[in-house]
Amino acid sequence: MNELNHWHPVLLSKNIKQKPVGIKLCGQEIAVFRTQSGKIGAIEDICSHRKMRLSKGWVEGNRLVCPYHGWNYGCDGKGHSLSTPHLRFCTKNFDAIEKHGLIWIKASQSEAKFPSLDFENYHFVCALEHHINAPLELVVDINSEVEHAATTHTFFGHNISQVSEVEVKFDFSDREVVKFIETMPQKPLPKVIKRLFGISDTDRFVDKIEVHFSPLYKISQLYWENHKTGQIRKERIKSAFFFTPISEKETKWISLYYLASPRWGRIMFHLLQKRVLKHILNYEINRDKWVLENLADRSLEFDPMCLGRFDKTLVENRKRIQSIYRGQRQAVLLN
């Protein structure tokens, strides 16, 4: 399956310690474990002997031990049996690394490039993980249009009465990346939020977005600008959203957030801004999750949907998901 050739974040680093963890990626069940030396291993979650889940076992040294009969495996998938030491067997293994506070996996021998996530002059805020009961494409859809912000989001976006004032500029010239910029009046915010992040009632909210397809992720830069002068406020939020398919009907949404030039200094950033932002960002994603999991129809066909002026990226994204991410060059989409 071509999707497995790309790097996918599957776990927050903090969620894998001494015990192995069973995950599912593109329908493939995988046992992820940390060796005593700190290396991350990822192998098919089934013992070659009697089909036990290896993720239910434990780690001894640099090997994952099956809890059924004690047969064990290295990060390369090669197995060893204490009862039958001359036996040669192995299970499927995957490339795995730990970076940016996440565990990443791809198919072994794949030459896929790792995404660039080095954001100079930005300070790390948090990493969030959400399990969405919706197909991958629908999760990408909600991340590629701003119209839902008026009814779904509490802190980011415009009021429904101001939707006609929202400006969107699309750029499909890059064959590898879909780009667009959304500019809108900022909906009213609590005074403490405005004070903490230096936002004015009359500011315009801007979301500058790039959607990449190998792997499938979105880079977003959020900032506020003075509606008269166009001057950008000091606080700017940058995020990287990774969309990892668990199965055809489930998606893991892993997000990384960063803040540029905290206006109150590093101490206040760590004591207050960081915590407030984490709460707000988690709340907003949970609102998107609620929408996705309450759709009346989660099929992927565009027909007979009626698409509006904000939905141009949906069709473009679907084409590139099929051709770049899934490797189906002759994919045909309904318009």
Side-chain angles (χ1 to χ4, degrees), residues 323-334:
S323 63
I324 301 174
Y325 180 69
R326 300 195 190 281
Q328 300 173 6
R329 294 292 176 182
Q330 302 301 319
V332 176
L333 294 176
L334 295 175

Side-chain angles (χ1 to χ4, degrees), residues 9 13 21 27 33 39 52 57 75 160 169 180 185 187 213-214 243 246 317 325:
S13 292
V21 177
F33 60 101
K39 184 178 180 181
M52 181 63 184
C75 294
I160 191 67
K169 296 180 181 179
F180 52 105
K187 63 176 61 179
F213 301 89
S214 179
F243 311 110
I246 298 171
N317 285 346
Y325 180 69

